[in-house]
Amino acid sequence: MEPRSIPPLFNGLVVHRPVRRRHCADCRRGPLPLLVRENGAPRCLDCADLGHLVLLPRGDTALTRRAREESTLSAVVVRFDRRRGRYERQGVLVEEEALARAERRCLADAEARRRRRARDARRRAAEDARFTEAFAAEIRRLFPGCPAERARSAAAHTSVRGSGRVGRSAAGRALSEGAVVSAVAASVRHLDTPYDRLLMSGVPRNEARRRIAPAVERVLAQWSRARPDSAG
């Protein structure tokens, strides 16, 4: 049987979503989708002077908080969960105009958040572009023979935000020589050697790296001392 007491968790007016079929003790209407208990007797919302309120289901915390702030009269809607043996919040009853005002406030906030996200995205894109340019310049400094377009491509690949690549490591962000060399070596490994084909054929990664290591070293050595005919 559904208990009659309400835990102190729910302060203020409380409206029930009944588990069993109930009829209003005053007007006899029913079964009631929502009811108020007064002196142990169920009453419909109209007889309890709450019939003008509208239900705002649970789920949107900000909208619920603001609707209750805007509403002169409000009530918490609860339902008894037999399996869990406790009352659970279903939503709130608030004045319709109060809900409309709360929705407008939330929409204004959502638009503000959208604009802030757009500004943040533009700022991050500008920061990423500057970082990629700086990384490419450092590649060209350490490897003057590396074609400019190849340096830009390697820098862009290794510095993708959230990628976890060496360009996004602490050393990479600091443009340390080790991080830059690692980024260039990775580019050479994948683009200038059969490394990827070896992996696809089932060769273990460490063995594949051992096989192509001389080719990588030759390219890095060439780029370290020579300048390309065209800077790109």
Side-chain angles (χ1 to χ4, degrees):
M1 178 179 294
E2 185 178 347
R4 296 182 179 276
S5 61
I6 299 293
L9 169 65
F10 305 108
N11 297 319
L13 294 175
V14 175
V15 171
H16 293 258
R17 177 168 281 167
V19 176
R20 302 172 61 187
R21 293 166 63 90
R22 300 289 185 182
H23 289 72
C24 179
D26 289 348
C27 68
R28 310 307 302 172
R29 282 187 299 175
L32 301 174
L34 297 173
L35 61 86
V36 176
R37 288 205 180 94
E38 293 181 342
N39 299 321
R43 286 177 172 79
C44 67
L45 297 187
D46 286 335
C47 290
D49 295 328
L50 300 177
H52 62 296
L53 303 181
V54 295
L55 175 64
L56 172 59
R58 68 178 181 179
D60 190 325
T61 304
L63 181 58
T64 297
R65 174 176 53 80
R66 287 177 169 170
R68 297 194 73 179
E69 289 173 354
E70 294 282 352
S71 190
T72 304
L73 183 64
S74 65
V76 178
V77 178
V78 300
R79 188 174 189 273
F80 187 72
D81 188 313
R82 291 175 173 175
R83 182 174 61 84
R84 296 182 177 179
R86 68 187 187 196
Y87 280 99
E88 296 192 340
R89 188 187 297 265
Q90 303 293 297
V92 294
L93 291 172
V94 294
E95 295 162 343
E96 191 167 5
E97 281 302 313
L99 178 56
R101 290 193 296 271
E103 288 173 336
R104 288 194 292 269
R105 289 172 61 186
C106 287
L107 284 174
D109 276 0
E111 176 63 16
R113 288 194 297 271
R114 185 192 68 78
R115 292 180 180 179
R116 184 168 60 249
R117 286 195 297 269
R119 288 195 302 272
D120 290 345
R122 290 192 296 269
R123 174 182 53 77
R124 288 193 297 269
E127 290 174 352
D128 290 349
R130 289 193 295 270
F131 177 68
T132 298
E133 183 178 346
F135 205 101
E138 189 64 10
I139 290 176
R140 295 297 308 284
R141 187 185 71 82
L142 293 175
F143 299 96
C146 177
E149 184 56 38
R150 183 64 179 275
R152 286 192 292 267
S153 175
H157 178 77
T158 197
S159 61
V160 173
R161 188 182 291 267
S163 65
R165 296 170 186 147
V166 67
R168 278 296 165 183
S169 66
R173 291 195 300 274
L175 298 179
S176 74
E177 181 173 330
V180 175
V181 172
S182 293
V184 176
S187 176
V188 172
R189 186 182 306 122
H190 289 288
L191 298 180
D192 301 293
T193 76
Y195 179 67
D196 290 353
R197 292 195 299 275
L198 291 174
L199 294 181
M200 290 297 293
S201 67
V203 176
R205 183 175 62 86
N206 289 338
E207 173 61 18
R209 284 200 173 200
R210 186 190 66 77
R211 293 185 190 182
I212 56 91
V216 173
E217 291 299 324
R218 282 195 300 271
V219 174
L220 294 183
Q222 179 184 353
W223 284 356
S224 294
R225 61 177 178 268
R227 287 189 177 273
D229 295 335
S230 173

PDB file of all heavy atoms in Angstrom, residues 119-146:
ATOM      1  N   ARG A 119      32.760  32.146 -29.587  1.00  0.00           N
ATOM      2  CA  ARG A 119      33.938  32.980 -29.348  1.00  0.00           C
ATOM      3  C   ARG A 119      35.126  32.126 -28.918  1.00  0.00           C
ATOM      4  O   ARG A 119      36.255  32.323 -29.378  1.00  0.00           O
ATOM      5  CB  ARG A 119      33.636  34.034 -28.275  1.00  0.00           C
ATOM      6  CG  ARG A 119      32.709  35.141 -28.721  1.00  0.00           C
ATOM      7  CD  ARG A 119      32.769  36.311 -27.752  1.00  0.00           C
ATOM      8  NE  ARG A 119      32.430  35.938 -26.388  1.00  0.00           N
ATOM      9  CZ  ARG A 119      31.212  35.930 -25.880  1.00  0.00           C
ATOM     10  NH1 ARG A 119      30.177  36.278 -26.652  1.00  0.00           N
ATOM     11  NH2 ARG A 119      30.982  35.583 -24.614  1.00  0.00           N
ATOM     12  N   ASP A 120      34.860  31.165 -28.004  1.00  0.00           N
ATOM     13  CA  ASP A 120      35.942  30.301 -27.531  1.00  0.00           C
ATOM     14  C   ASP A 120      36.514  29.461 -28.678  1.00  0.00           C
ATOM     15  O   ASP A 120      37.735  29.227 -28.741  1.00  0.00           O
ATOM     16  CB  ASP A 120      35.440  29.386 -26.414  1.00  0.00           C
ATOM     17  CG  ASP A 120      35.156  30.138 -25.126  1.00  0.00           C
ATOM     18  OD1 ASP A 120      35.608  31.290 -25.007  1.00  0.00           O
ATOM     19  OD2 ASP A 120      34.466  29.580 -24.254  1.00  0.00           O
ATOM     20  N   ALA A 121      35.622  28.991 -29.560  1.00  0.00           N
ATOM     21  CA  ALA A 121      36.086  28.184 -30.694  1.00  0.00           C
ATOM     22  C   ALA A 121      36.971  29.008 -31.616  1.00  0.00           C
ATOM     23  O   ALA A 121      38.018  28.530 -32.098  1.00  0.00           O
ATOM     24  CB  ALA A 121      34.888  27.625 -31.467  1.00  0.00           C
ATOM     25  N   ARG A 122      36.577  30.276 -31.872  1.00  0.00           N
ATOM     26  CA  ARG A 122      37.415  31.137 -32.717  1.00  0.00           C
ATOM     27  C   ARG A 122      38.763  31.420 -32.052  1.00  0.00           C
ATOM     28  O   ARG A 122      39.804  31.430 -32.716  1.00  0.00           O
ATOM     29  CB  ARG A 122      36.679  32.445 -33.014  1.00  0.00           C
ATOM     30  CG  ARG A 122      35.489  32.293 -33.949  1.00  0.00           C
ATOM     31  CD  ARG A 122      35.002  33.638 -34.430  1.00  0.00           C
ATOM     32  NE  ARG A 122      34.488  34.474 -33.346  1.00  0.00           N
ATOM     33  CZ  ARG A 122      33.229  34.500 -32.964  1.00  0.00           C
ATOM     34  NH1 ARG A 122      32.339  33.705 -33.545  1.00  0.00           N
ATOM     35  NH2 ARG A 122      32.839  35.303 -31.986  1.00  0.00           N
ATOM     36  N   ARG A 123      38.727  31.634 -30.723  1.00  0.00           N
ATOM     37  CA  ARG A 123      39.977  31.896 -30.013  1.00  0.00           C
ATOM     38  C   ARG A 123      40.903  30.679 -30.079  1.00  0.00           C
ATOM     39  O   ARG A 123      42.108  30.813 -30.344  1.00  0.00           O
ATOM     40  CB  ARG A 123      39.684  32.257 -28.551  1.00  0.00           C
ATOM     41  CG  ARG A 123      40.929  32.409 -27.694  1.00  0.00           C
ATOM     42  CD  ARG A 123      40.557  32.709 -26.250  1.00  0.00           C
ATOM     43  NE  ARG A 123      39.626  31.748 -25.700  1.00  0.00           N
ATOM     44  CZ  ARG A 123      39.966  30.520 -25.284  1.00  0.00           C
ATOM     45  NH1 ARG A 123      41.233  30.115 -25.370  1.00  0.00           N
ATOM     46  NH2 ARG A 123      39.057  29.710 -24.783  1.00  0.00           N
ATOM     47  N   ARG A 124      40.330  29.473 -29.848  1.00  0.00           N
ATOM     48  CA  ARG A 124      41.150  28.261 -29.897  1.00  0.00           C
ATOM     49  C   ARG A 124      41.704  28.024 -31.299  1.00  0.00           C
ATOM     50  O   ARG A 124      42.855  27.593 -31.465  1.00  0.00           O
ATOM     51  CB  ARG A 124      40.340  27.046 -29.440  1.00  0.00           C
ATOM     52  CG  ARG A 124      40.067  27.025 -27.940  1.00  0.00           C
ATOM     53  CD  ARG A 124      39.545  25.671 -27.512  1.00  0.00           C
ATOM     54  NE  ARG A 124      38.267  25.369 -28.147  1.00  0.00           N
ATOM     55  CZ  ARG A 124      37.084  25.665 -27.612  1.00  0.00           C
ATOM     56  NH1 ARG A 124      37.019  26.280 -26.443  1.00  0.00           N
ATOM     57  NH2 ARG A 124      35.961  25.340 -28.229  1.00  0.00           N
ATOM     58  N   ALA A 125      40.882  28.312 -32.325  1.00  0.00           N
ATOM     59  CA  ALA A 125      41.355  28.121 -33.703  1.00  0.00           C
ATOM     60  C   ALA A 125      42.529  29.048 -33.995  1.00  0.00           C
ATOM     61  O   ALA A 125      43.510  28.643 -34.637  1.00  0.00           O
ATOM     62  CB  ALA A 125      40.215  28.382 -34.684  1.00  0.00           C
ATOM     63  N   ALA A 126      42.443  30.307 -33.521  1.00  0.00           N
ATOM     64  CA  ALA A 126      43.548  31.248 -33.734  1.00  0.00           C
ATOM     65  C   ALA A 126      44.794  30.788 -32.982  1.00  0.00           C
ATOM     66  O   ALA A 126      45.918  30.854 -33.513  1.00  0.00           O
ATOM     67  CB  ALA A 126      43.125  32.640 -33.278  1.00  0.00           C
ATOM     68  N   GLU A 127      44.614  30.313 -31.738  1.00  0.00           N
ATOM     69  CA  GLU A 127      45.747  29.818 -30.966  1.00  0.00           C
ATOM     70  C   GLU A 127      46.381  28.610 -31.662  1.00  0.00           C
ATOM     71  O   GLU A 127      47.614  28.499 -31.727  1.00  0.00           O
ATOM     72  CB  GLU A 127      45.290  29.431 -29.566  1.00  0.00           C
ATOM     73  CG  GLU A 127      44.896  30.613 -28.679  1.00  0.00           C
ATOM     74  CD  GLU A 127      44.309  30.151 -27.362  1.00  0.00           C
ATOM     75  OE1 GLU A 127      44.064  28.926 -27.204  1.00  0.00           O
ATOM     76  OE2 GLU A 127      44.079  31.009 -26.484  1.00  0.00           O
ATOM     77  N   ASP A 128      45.538  27.707 -32.173  1.00  0.00           N
ATOM     78  CA  ASP A 128      46.051  26.511 -32.847  1.00  0.00           C
ATOM     79  C   ASP A 128      46.820  26.897 -34.105  1.00  0.00           C
ATOM     80  O   ASP A 128      47.857  26.293 -34.421  1.00  0.00           O
ATOM     81  CB  ASP A 128      44.901  25.564 -33.197  1.00  0.00           C
ATOM     82  CG  ASP A 128      44.299  24.909 -31.960  1.00  0.00           C
ATOM     83  OD1 ASP A 128      44.902  25.024 -30.877  1.00  0.00           O
ATOM     84  OD2 ASP A 128      43.223  24.294 -32.088  1.00  0.00           O
ATOM     85  N   ALA A 129      46.295  27.874 -34.844  1.00  0.00           N
ATOM     86  CA  ALA A 129      46.982  28.303 -36.067  1.00  0.00           C
ATOM     87  C   ALA A 129      48.346  28.891 -35.740  1.00  0.00           C
ATOM     88  O   ALA A 129      49.343  28.609 -36.426  1.00  0.00           O
ATOM     89  CB  ALA A 129      46.123  29.322 -36.816  1.00  0.00           C
ATOM     90  N   ARG A 130      48.420  29.705 -34.686  1.00  0.00           N
ATOM     91  CA  ARG A 130      49.710  30.295 -34.298  1.00  0.00           C
ATOM     92  C   ARG A 130      50.688  29.211 -33.843  1.00  0.00           C
ATOM     93  O   ARG A 130      51.877  29.248 -34.181  1.00  0.00           O
ATOM     94  CB  ARG A 130      49.504  31.335 -33.190  1.00  0.00           C
ATOM     95  CG  ARG A 130      48.830  32.615 -33.663  1.00  0.00           C
ATOM     96  CD  ARG A 130      48.943  33.701 -32.613  1.00  0.00           C
ATOM     97  NE  ARG A 130      48.217  33.363 -31.397  1.00  0.00           N
ATOM     98  CZ  ARG A 130      46.943  33.672 -31.181  1.00  0.00           C
ATOM     99  NH1 ARG A 130      46.254  34.332 -32.107  1.00  0.00           N
ATOM    100  NH2 ARG A 130      46.347  33.343 -30.042  1.00  0.00           N
ATOM    101  N   PHE A 131      50.160  28.242 -33.074  1.00  0.00           N
ATOM    102  CA  PHE A 131      51.034  27.178 -32.586  1.00  0.00           C
ATOM    103  C   PHE A 131      51.546  26.321 -33.739  1.00  0.00           C
ATOM    104  O   PHE A 131      52.737  25.965 -33.797  1.00  0.00           O
ATOM    105  CB  PHE A 131      50.293  26.312 -31.571  1.00  0.00           C
ATOM    106  CG  PHE A 131      51.096  25.149 -31.074  1.00  0.00           C
ATOM    107  CD1 PHE A 131      52.210  25.339 -30.282  1.00  0.00           C
ATOM    108  CD2 PHE A 131      50.743  23.852 -31.413  1.00  0.00           C
ATOM    109  CE1 PHE A 131      52.960  24.262 -29.830  1.00  0.00           C
ATOM    110  CE2 PHE A 131      51.489  22.769 -30.970  1.00  0.00           C
ATOM    111  CZ  PHE A 131      52.596  22.976 -30.174  1.00  0.00           C
ATOM    112  N   THR A 132      50.663  25.989 -34.679  1.00  0.00           N
ATOM    113  CA  THR A 132      51.077  25.185 -35.829  1.00  0.00           C
ATOM    114  C   THR A 132      52.141  25.908 -36.641  1.00  0.00           C
ATOM    115  O   THR A 132      53.126  25.312 -37.094  1.00  0.00           O
ATOM    116  CB  THR A 132      49.865  24.871 -36.718  1.00  0.00           C
ATOM    117  OG1 THR A 132      48.914  24.102 -35.968  1.00  0.00           O
ATOM    118  CG2 THR A 132      50.270  24.075 -37.948  1.00  0.00           C
ATOM    119  N   GLU A 133      51.954  27.210 -36.814  1.00  0.00           N
ATOM    120  CA  GLU A 133      52.942  28.012 -37.548  1.00  0.00           C
ATOM    121  C   GLU A 133      54.284  28.004 -36.825  1.00  0.00           C
ATOM    122  O   GLU A 133      55.347  27.862 -37.461  1.00  0.00           O
ATOM    123  CB  GLU A 133      52.423  29.443 -37.706  1.00  0.00           C
ATOM    124  CG  GLU A 133      53.328  30.339 -38.519  1.00  0.00           C
ATOM    125  CD  GLU A 133      52.744  31.733 -38.683  1.00  0.00           C
ATOM    126  OE1 GLU A 133      51.537  31.906 -38.397  1.00  0.00           O
ATOM    127  OE2 GLU A 133      53.499  32.647 -39.076  1.00  0.00           O
ATOM    128  N   ALA A 134      54.251  28.150 -35.499  1.00  0.00           N
ATOM    129  CA  ALA A 134      55.494  28.147 -34.734  1.00  0.00           C
ATOM    130  C   ALA A 134      56.171  26.784 -34.795  1.00  0.00           C
ATOM    131  O   ALA A 134      57.408  26.689 -34.897  1.00  0.00           O
ATOM    132  CB  ALA A 134      55.210  28.531 -33.280  1.00  0.00           C
ATOM    133  N   PHE A 135      55.366  25.718 -34.750  1.00  0.00           N
ATOM    134  CA  PHE A 135      55.920  24.365 -34.806  1.00  0.00           C
ATOM    135  C   PHE A 135      56.559  24.124 -36.166  1.00  0.00           C
ATOM    136  O   PHE A 135      57.650  23.548 -36.270  1.00  0.00           O
ATOM    137  CB  PHE A 135      54.818  23.339 -34.538  1.00  0.00           C
ATOM    138  CG  PHE A 135      55.320  22.028 -34.003  1.00  0.00           C
ATOM    139  CD1 PHE A 135      55.240  21.729 -32.658  1.00  0.00           C
ATOM    140  CD2 PHE A 135      55.880  21.086 -34.857  1.00  0.00           C
ATOM    141  CE1 PHE A 135      55.714  20.514 -32.162  1.00  0.00           C
ATOM    142  CE2 PHE A 135      56.362  19.875 -34.380  1.00  0.00           C
ATOM    143  CZ  PHE A 135      56.274  19.587 -33.023  1.00  0.00           C
ATOM    144  N   ALA A 136      55.887  24.572 -37.220  1.00  0.00           N
ATOM    145  CA  ALA A 136      56.441  24.400 -38.563  1.00  0.00           C
ATOM    146  C   ALA A 136      57.746  25.169 -38.712  1.00  0.00           C
ATOM    147  O   ALA A 136      58.711  24.690 -39.343  1.00  0.00           O
ATOM    148  CB  ALA A 136      55.425  24.862 -39.608  1.00  0.00           C
ATOM    149  N   ALA A 137      57.787  26.372 -38.156  1.00  0.00           N
ATOM    150  CA  ALA A 137      59.011  27.172 -38.226  1.00  0.00           C
ATOM    151  C   ALA A 137      60.158  26.477 -37.504  1.00  0.00           C
ATOM    152  O   ALA A 137      61.316  26.502 -37.962  1.00  0.00           O
ATOM    153  CB  ALA A 137      58.763  28.555 -37.625  1.00  0.00           C
ATOM    154  N   GLU A 138      59.854  25.836 -36.376  1.00  0.00           N
ATOM    155  CA  GLU A 138      60.901  25.118 -35.633  1.00  0.00           C
ATOM    156  C   GLU A 138      61.367  23.895 -36.413  1.00  0.00           C
ATOM    157  O   GLU A 138      62.562  23.552 -36.389  1.00  0.00           O
ATOM    158  CB  GLU A 138      60.373  24.721 -34.254  1.00  0.00           C
ATOM    159  CG  GLU A 138      61.416  24.157 -33.301  1.00  0.00           C
ATOM    160  CD  GLU A 138      62.498  25.171 -32.933  1.00  0.00           C
ATOM    161  OE1 GLU A 138      62.350  26.375 -33.253  1.00  0.00           O
ATOM    162  OE2 GLU A 138      63.504  24.753 -32.320  1.00  0.00           O
ATOM    163  N   ILE A 139      60.445  23.242 -37.119  1.00  0.00           N
ATOM    164  CA  ILE A 139      60.847  22.120 -37.973  1.00  0.00           C
ATOM    165  C   ILE A 139      61.831  22.597 -39.040  1.00  0.00           C
ATOM    166  O   ILE A 139      62.877  21.984 -39.281  1.00  0.00           O
ATOM    167  CB  ILE A 139      59.615  21.476 -38.643  1.00  0.00           C
ATOM    168  CG1 ILE A 139      58.772  20.728 -37.594  1.00  0.00           C
ATOM    169  CG2 ILE A 139      60.045  20.500 -39.749  1.00  0.00           C
ATOM    170  CD1 ILE A 139      57.483  20.144 -38.146  1.00  0.00           C
ATOM    171  N   ARG A 140      61.508  23.738 -39.670  1.00  0.00           N
ATOM    172  CA  ARG A 140      62.385  24.268 -40.721  1.00  0.00           C
ATOM    173  C   ARG A 140      63.740  24.698 -40.158  1.00  0.00           C
ATOM    174  O   ARG A 140      64.761  24.617 -40.842  1.00  0.00           O
ATOM    175  CB  ARG A 140      61.713  25.451 -41.424  1.00  0.00           C
ATOM    176  CG  ARG A 140      60.447  25.106 -42.188  1.00  0.00           C
ATOM    177  CD  ARG A 140      60.661  24.133 -43.333  1.00  0.00           C
ATOM    178  NE  ARG A 140      61.711  24.541 -44.233  1.00  0.00           N
ATOM    179  CZ  ARG A 140      61.597  25.530 -45.156  1.00  0.00           C
ATOM    180  NH1 ARG A 140      60.466  26.199 -45.259  1.00  0.00           N
ATOM    181  NH2 ARG A 140      62.610  25.796 -45.953  1.00  0.00           N
ATOM    182  N   ARG A 141      63.743  25.161 -38.912  1.00  0.00           N
ATOM    183  CA  ARG A 141      65.014  25.564 -38.314  1.00  0.00           C
ATOM    184  C   ARG A 141      65.910  24.349 -38.078  1.00  0.00           C
ATOM    185  O   ARG A 141      67.120  24.384 -38.359  1.00  0.00           O
ATOM    186  CB  ARG A 141      64.776  26.296 -36.993  1.00  0.00           C
ATOM    187  CG  ARG A 141      66.043  26.893 -36.396  1.00  0.00           C
ATOM    188  CD  ARG A 141      65.771  27.501 -35.027  1.00  0.00           C
ATOM    189  NE  ARG A 141      65.525  26.492 -34.004  1.00  0.00           N
ATOM    190  CZ  ARG A 141      66.489  25.840 -33.358  1.00  0.00           C
ATOM    191  NH1 ARG A 141      67.769  26.069 -33.652  1.00  0.00           N
ATOM    192  NH2 ARG A 141      66.187  24.953 -32.431  1.00  0.00           N
ATOM    193  N   LEU A 142      65.308  23.274 -37.551  1.00  0.00           N
ATOM    194  CA  LEU A 142      66.095  22.071 -37.257  1.00  0.00           C
ATOM    195  C   LEU A 142      66.364  21.246 -38.509  1.00  0.00           C
ATOM    196  O   LEU A 142      67.386  20.543 -38.587  1.00  0.00           O
ATOM    197  CB  LEU A 142      65.356  21.216 -36.223  1.00  0.00           C
ATOM    198  CG  LEU A 142      65.227  21.802 -34.823  1.00  0.00           C
ATOM    199  CD1 LEU A 142      64.370  20.903 -33.940  1.00  0.00           C
ATOM    200  CD2 LEU A 142      66.599  22.012 -34.189  1.00  0.00           C
ATOM    201  N   PHE A 143      65.438  21.328 -39.469  1.00  0.00           N
ATOM    202  CA  PHE A 143      65.579  20.548 -40.705  1.00  0.00           C
ATOM    203  C   PHE A 143      65.407  21.479 -41.900  1.00  0.00           C
ATOM    204  O   PHE A 143      64.347  21.507 -42.540  1.00  0.00           O
ATOM    205  CB  PHE A 143      64.538  19.422 -40.747  1.00  0.00           C
ATOM    206  CG  PHE A 143      64.662  18.427 -39.631  1.00  0.00           C
ATOM    207  CD1 PHE A 143      63.879  18.547 -38.491  1.00  0.00           C
ATOM    208  CD2 PHE A 143      65.567  17.384 -39.703  1.00  0.00           C
ATOM    209  CE1 PHE A 143      63.978  17.635 -37.458  1.00  0.00           C
ATOM    210  CE2 PHE A 143      65.694  16.467 -38.664  1.00  0.00           C
ATOM    211  CZ  PHE A 143      64.895  16.593 -37.537  1.00  0.00           C
ATOM    212  N   PRO A 144      66.429  22.266 -42.202  1.00  0.00           N
ATOM    213  CA  PRO A 144      66.300  23.252 -43.281  1.00  0.00           C
ATOM    214  C   PRO A 144      66.034  22.627 -44.645  1.00  0.00           C
ATOM    215  O   PRO A 144      65.544  23.301 -45.549  1.00  0.00           O
ATOM    216  CB  PRO A 144      67.649  23.981 -43.252  1.00  0.00           C
ATOM    217  CG  PRO A 144      68.585  23.058 -42.544  1.00  0.00           C
ATOM    218  CD  PRO A 144      67.750  22.319 -41.550  1.00  0.00           C
ATOM    219  N   GLY A 145      66.343  21.351 -44.801  1.00  0.00           N
ATOM    220  CA  GLY A 145      66.071  20.682 -46.064  1.00  0.00           C
ATOM    221  C   GLY A 145      64.651  20.180 -46.194  1.00  0.00           C
ATOM    222  O   GLY A 145      64.261  19.675 -47.253  1.00  0.00           O
ATOM    223  N   CYS A 146      63.861  20.267 -45.158  1.00  0.00           N
ATOM    224  CA  CYS A 146      62.469  19.798 -45.199  1.00  0.00           C
ATOM    225  C   CYS A 146      61.638  20.797 -46.007  1.00  0.00           C
ATOM    226  O   CYS A 146      61.643  21.993 -45.712  1.00  0.00           O
ATOM    227  CB  CYS A 146      61.919  19.670 -43.782  1.00  0.00           C
ATOM    228  SG  CYS A 146      60.178  19.173 -43.736  1.00  0.00           S
TER     229      CYS A 146
END
